[in-house]
Amino acid sequence: MHRLCIIFLILIACNGSSPKENTLATETQQSTSEKAPATEGIRYQGILPSTNGKGVDTTIILKENNNYTITETFLEDGRTHTEKGIFEWNENDKTIALIGENNKKTFYKVDAQVLIFLNDNNPNKKMTAEEEERYSLHQK
């Protein structure tokens, strides 16, 4: 009897996960791929403040080879602007600089799964927790 139990446990261990776990893993992979295909890159999204108070729906996709795409939709009038460029990572202050048209740099602080827009493009500026939340783009 003990041998049968041991053989059964070995078979379960060798099989890996149960069919129910495999189904859950497949569903998770499908829902993740629906959000952002792996070939697309890492997507950050949120609504950043604007001068008119309505906000700018902002999506940044960081791609391989330090390329990025930023799409901004202005909530006041629905106007959309898309820009592509390269980004630079600064290990010392944990920021990235998006380098777009005319070599204009826009800085974001990198914090876990969040990009925090540095409004005055000063990577050393200290922000309050409330400011950081208002200027945050979350990984999707």
Side-chain angles (χ1 to χ4, degrees), residues 123-139:
N124 298 314
K125 179 185 178 195
K126 301 294 181 205
M127 298 174 80
T128 67
E130 182 180 288
E131 286 175 318
E132 285 187 356
E133 185 58 36
R134 284 187 23 221
Y135 289 94
S136 291
L137 303 175
H138 296 273
Q139 188 174 339

Side-chain angles (χ1 to χ4, degrees), residues 66 68 86-90 95-99 105 107-108:
N66 289 9
Y68 78 88
I86 61 170
F87 68 90
E88 294 177 343
W89 165 250
N90 184 323
T95 60
I96 61 169
L98 304 184
I99 305 169
K105 291 185 177 184
F107 292 92
Y108 289 82

Side-chain angles (χ1 to χ4, degrees), residues 6-19:
I6 292 172
I7 292 172
F8 180 71
L9 291 174
I10 291 172
L11 286 174
I12 290 175
C14 290
N15 185 30
S17 57
S18 69

Side-chain angles (χ1 to χ4, degrees), residues 51-93:
T51 55
N52 66 21
K54 302 248 184 198
V56 181
D57 187 357
T58 305
T59 300
I60 296 175
I61 301 171
L62 302 179
K63 303 176 184 183
E64 291 183 4
N65 300 324
N66 289 9
N67 290 304
Y68 78 88
T69 301
I70 183 170
T71 303
E72 299 170 305
T73 302
F74 299 86
L75 299 179
E76 176 182 314
D77 57 11
R79 186 173 41 95
T80 298
H81 173 260
T82 299
E83 180 177 286
K84 295 182 179 191
I86 61 170
F87 68 90
E88 294 177 343
W89 165 250
N90 184 323
E91 177 69 31
N92 293 334
D93 56 15

